[in-house]
Amino acid sequence: MHNAISEIKSVEDAAKKAVTNTIFSPRFYTTDYEAMNRINVEPVRAEWDAMMAEYEGDNNHDHFQRDATFAEEARELAHKMSPELRQEFLDFLVSSLTSEFSGCVLYNEIKRNVSNPDIKKLMEYMARDESRHAGFINSSLKDYGLGIDLGNLKRSKSYTYFKPKYIFYATYLSEKIGYARYIKIFRQLEKHPDKRFHPIFRWFQRWCNDEFRHGESFALIMRANPDLLRGGNVLWIRFFLLAVYATMYVRDHTRPELKQAMGLEPTEYDYEVFRITNEITKQVFPIMLDIDHPDFRSNLDRIYRCAMRADAGKAAGGIVGNLQKAFWSVAGVAVFVRMYFIPVKSNTLPQSARLVPSW
Ligand SMILES: [Fe+2]
Ligand SMILES: [Fe+2]
């Protein structure tokens, strides 16, 4: 089958990868700042203040520094990577960097444009964390001579406008799924240190606790504004759940070597991540996707195969290639729509929204 990831051979390739938007790559967002100003967190004040105290305490302030052995370890292990693994790892670094930096840019922009003191302070803390995360990944790219100019990326990438509620659904989910992804990798490599092919994975535990807390912030915002969680909005929640899960599935399956090198099987890994995310999202979403439904697995796999064929068409180019791309894109969307109507499971929201990262 056509290889879905484009090769990164130079610093220009890395920059191009970060700036290019496809339906499966991380995007940059803008939103309605006036509406953000009107967000009221009074109904969850006690939990909110406790969370803000955690941000203030900044337990990861010293975490995102490389230790003395980092560079050497990275160099030594790099020799053992196959060229395929190396390419997938670089692809992983660039897309992770883009998504960390996307959070950083969004949170910073919200902070600059709102006057609501609760939201402003929260955004400042989250931007602080994401900027550390992005910087930390970038230093690993720099080891390969592939560092990305983040100022330039901020200026040249296009921005997608999302209403605040879409930002809440999508960002909440991406923070929580980000937590689940990183903790699964960390736990696996904790058990099998011989499979840790890069030192960056040693940082993942404390790292993903930041993401977990970012998710908590959006959970509290939504719990404080329960209209976001009922009526027609439930249909949006359903949409974002499926979009985020499907995107992850496609992206992970285009990088099979990466998971295999860690001793993980991509499909199994993804379903574990879905399971953790489903468990976490019970804190706020009234529904969850039925990932064990017999049609769920087969259709998700079908979306991946449509995406690969669309991609092959795009790579081939010309009239035939473009037709092929259009055909398989439409086919993929049709499967997505079918999946959207697979019955979901409902949740009763717990009294208190707050959770601790216990996976
Ligand atoms: Fe992050
Ligand atoms: Fe985050």
Side-chain angles (χ1 to χ4, degrees), residues 100 107 130 133 175 210-211 214:
E100 297 282 4
Y107 301 152
E130 303 300 15
H133 301 167
E175 297 286 5
D210 281 351
E211 315 301 7
H214 299 165

Side-chain angles (χ1 to χ4, degrees), residues 23-24 301-314 320-336 338:
I23 53 172
F24 299 108
D301 208 57
R302 216 161 276 148
I303 289 184
Y304 164 66
R305 278 179 282 127
C306 289
M308 285 309 90
R309 293 194 175 114
D311 223 70
K314 187 179 160 196
V320 175
N322 280 318
L323 278 174
Q324 195 185 342
K325 180 187 167 215
F327 178 83
W328 289 110
S329 303
V330 172
V333 171
V335 182
F336 185 91
R338 225 180 308 148

Side-chain angles (χ1 to χ4, degrees), residues 147-170:
I148 287 180
D149 178 345
L150 296 178
N152 191 43
L153 180 60
K154 181 169 189 268
R155 281 187 301 275
S156 44
K157 193 164 167 92
S158 64
Y159 287 72
T160 305
Y161 172 84
F162 259 15
K163 276 190 199 179
K165 67 175 179 186
Y166 304 150
I167 295 274
F168 300 149
Y169 305 141

